[in-house]
């Protein structure tokens, strides 16, 4: 099983430059042909490239090195440059060096040169001058850059399922997509974010992320904490999943919005819908009208277990997605596609 990995520590080293050539041209009847050692080739870079098909950092290795440049040859032949090494990372990858963000790869095809290759050395031909007609000096290639980078993935799903443990987020994701997150009757069943794709008849695809359950104080890194709050940051709209069977379910909604707002200002004000789950239980039907009174947001009551009223959620999800696409296009930006 390839698990979802959202952070990686990577050591990157650029390729070493090739050394300069050291030779003198010589052929019959032309003994003093002069220096003809060519320059060495440059070392190859290590480049991080955002790729839409890559969804996790699990395929990223802990070490990468660019290819070395070749040594300069006789007859003033330059050495070949070392090939670049491309590392595919998911769209939404943050690159940090010494705790500082140095790159944020949010678009497909975007590149960041993680480590530059070293410059090639100079051959003895380079040092030819009127004062020195037969230079023996040549220089070695320079070593490539060496860095230790921390890669962090912020899921770029369209919608984020936000809720307390055991609210039914994983069950809901299984019901509306082909994703298969673990489902069990204990808290924190989901330890990694899962992304499910909701397919529509016109071939549009909406990505929904199941964010591991938050608890009170998550913004202070309690429970699974900040490690998963950052995934919500990139979601364009939010689906608050509330367990209707508990007493006063609107308190859950208030607590969720508070945690999001404490983590990042304005996060709780994104387009959203409140999903009242477990409507198949008797207590839930009593709590539903009370929840609607306590919130101004749209409330969709459904059961992820039995499939009741899933169609209303799917239709509203498409409305939120279409609004997001129009907003992005009006700004002259291309919306994230899956």
């Amino acid at each position: 099983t390839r698990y979802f990995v959202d952070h990686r520590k990577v050591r990157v080293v650029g390729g070493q430059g090739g050394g300069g050539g050291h030779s003198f041209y010589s052929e019959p009847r032309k003994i003093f042909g002069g220096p003809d050692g060519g320059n060495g080739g440059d070392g190859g870079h290590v480049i991080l490239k955002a790729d839409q098909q890559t969804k996790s950092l699990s395929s990223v290795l802990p070490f990468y090195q660019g290819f070395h440049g070749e040594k300069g040859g006789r007859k003033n032949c330059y050495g070949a440059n070392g090939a670049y090494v491309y590392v595919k990372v998911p769209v939404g990858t943050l690159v940090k060096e010494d705790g500082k963000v140095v790159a944020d790869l949010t678009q497909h095809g975007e590149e960041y040169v993680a480590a530059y290759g070293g410059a090639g050395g100079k051959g003895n031909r380079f040092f030819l001058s009127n004062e020195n007609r037969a230079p023996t000096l040549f220089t070695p290639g320079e070593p490539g850059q060496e860095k230790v980078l921390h890669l962090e993935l912020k899921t770029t799903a369209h919608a984020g399922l936000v809720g307390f443990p055991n609210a039914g987020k994983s069950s809901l994701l299984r019901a509306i997509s082909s994703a298969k997150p673990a489902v069990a009757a204990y808290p924190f069943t989901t330890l990694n974010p899962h992304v499910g794709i909701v397919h529509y008849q016109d071939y549009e695809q909406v990505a929904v992320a199941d964010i591991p359950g938050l608890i009170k104080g998550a913004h202070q890194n309690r429970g699974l904490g900040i490690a998963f709050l950052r995934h919500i940051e990139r979601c364009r709209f939010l689906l608050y999943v509330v367990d209707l069977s508990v007493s006063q379910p609107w308190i859950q909604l208030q607590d969720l919005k508070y945690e999001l707002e404490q983590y990042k200002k304005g996060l709780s004000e994104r387009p959203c819908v409140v999903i009242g789950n477990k409507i198949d239980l008797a207590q839930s039907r009593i709590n539903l009208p009370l929840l609607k009174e306590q919130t101004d947001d749209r409330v969709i009551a459904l059961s992820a277990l039995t499939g009741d009223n899933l169609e209303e959620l799917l239709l509203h999800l498409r409305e939120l997605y279409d609004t997001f696409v129009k907003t992005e296009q009006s700004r002259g930006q291309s919306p994230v596609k899956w």
Side-chain angles (χ1 to χ4, degrees):
T1 303
R2 304 203 77 170
Y3 291 100
F4 183 91
V5 176
D6 62 353
H7 52 86
R8 268 275 194 264
K9 183 180 177 181
V10 184
R11 183 167 156 255
V12 288
V13 181
Q16 179 156 349
H22 175 253
S23 63
F24 288 88
Y25 186 71
S26 179
E27 65 177 24
R29 296 182 298 279
K30 196 171 184 183
I31 302 169
F32 301 107
D36 70 346
N39 298 339
D42 296 334
H45 308 329
V46 179
I47 299 174
L48 304 179
K49 186 170 184 176
D51 179 58
Q52 208 165 354
Q53 301 303 316
T54 308
K55 302 302 180 189
S56 165
L57 292 172
S58 59
S59 59
V60 176
L61 303 176
F63 176 72
Y64 289 95
Q65 180 164 26
F67 290 93
H68 300 319
E70 290 186 7
K71 185 180 176 182
R74 298 173 61 88
K75 298 183 180 178
N76 206 28
C77 289
Y78 282 34
N81 292 336
Y84 295 170
V85 171
Y86 285 91
V87 182
K88 288 183 178 180
V89 295
V91 173
T93 300
L94 272 179
V95 185
K96 291 185 177 180
E97 184 181 2
D98 297 327
K100 293 181 180 177
V101 177
V102 292
D104 189 358
L105 307 174
T106 56
Q107 297 291 327
H108 175 69
E110 204 172 341
E111 295 180 2
Y112 169 69
V113 181
Y116 285 94
K122 303 299 184 185
N124 64 337
R125 169 81 183 186
F126 178 83
F127 297 100
L128 177 65
S129 67
N130 289 332
E131 291 76 28
N132 187 1
R133 304 304 297 169
T136 57
L137 178 64
F138 63 98
T139 59
E142 294 181 5
Q145 270 188 327
E146 183 172 347
K147 293 181 184 177
V148 175
L149 302 175
H150 291 267
L151 307 183
E152 282 185 11
L153 176 60
K154 290 187 176 182
T155 310
T156 53
H158 299 117
L161 290 170
V162 186
F164 285 112
N166 279 102
K169 300 183 300 299
S170 297
S171 300
L172 182 59
L173 190 66
R174 289 174 79 106
I176 63 175
S177 74
S178 57
K180 294 288 180 279
V183 173
Y186 53 83
F188 299 116
T189 315
T190 305
L191 296 175
N192 294 303
H194 292 270
V195 180
I197 308 299
V198 181
H199 298 273
Y200 289 92
Q201 287 183 340
D202 59 353
Y203 303 106
E204 279 287 4
Q205 298 182 143
V206 179
V208 181
D210 171 19
I211 311 297
L214 302 179
I215 62 169
K216 284 186 181 179
H219 70 278
Q220 296 170 337
N221 219 14
R222 289 182 189 162
L224 299 176
I226 290 171
F228 300 112
L229 274 167
R230 68 167 178 263
H231 291 284
I232 301 170
E233 225 178 306
R234 291 279 168 91
C235 295
R236 304 310 195 271
F237 38 93
L238 304 176
L239 311 178
Y240 293 104
V241 183
V242 175
D243 184 352
L244 279 177
S245 63
V246 300
S247 61
Q248 297 183 318
W250 53 90
I251 301 292
Q252 288 185 34
L253 183 60
Q254 291 167 8
D255 289 342
L256 287 170
K257 288 192 173 185
Y258 175 77
E259 290 301 324
L260 295 186
E261 196 62 27
Q262 290 300 308
Y263 174 69
K264 186 179 179 184
K265 197 166 184 179
L267 200 56
S268 66
E269 295 169 10
R270 291 200 180 167
C272 68
V273 62
V274 179
I275 299 170
N277 195 17
K278 306 184 184 179
I279 194 62
D280 50 309
L281 302 177
Q283 185 62 40
S284 300
R285 296 191 190 95
I286 299 169
N287 287 334
L288 178 58
L290 300 174
L291 174 63
K292 288 183 176 179
E293 285 175 17
Q294 296 287 334
T295 180
D296 296 329
D297 300 319
R298 178 169 176 176
V299 178
I300 297 176
L302 53 78
S303 171
L305 182 66
T306 63
D308 287 352
N309 210 25
L310 281 179
E311 190 176 347
E312 186 183 348
L313 170 63
L314 294 172
L315 290 172
H316 188 62
L317 185 63
R318 182 59 193 270
E319 286 174 22
L320 289 169
Y321 174 74
D322 289 341
T323 306
F324 154 68
V325 170
K326 285 176 186 174
T327 306
E328 290 289 291
Q329 288 174 345
S330 66
R331 290 177 185 165
Q333 297 177 347
S334 56
V336 176
K337 296 277 185 179
W338 277 70

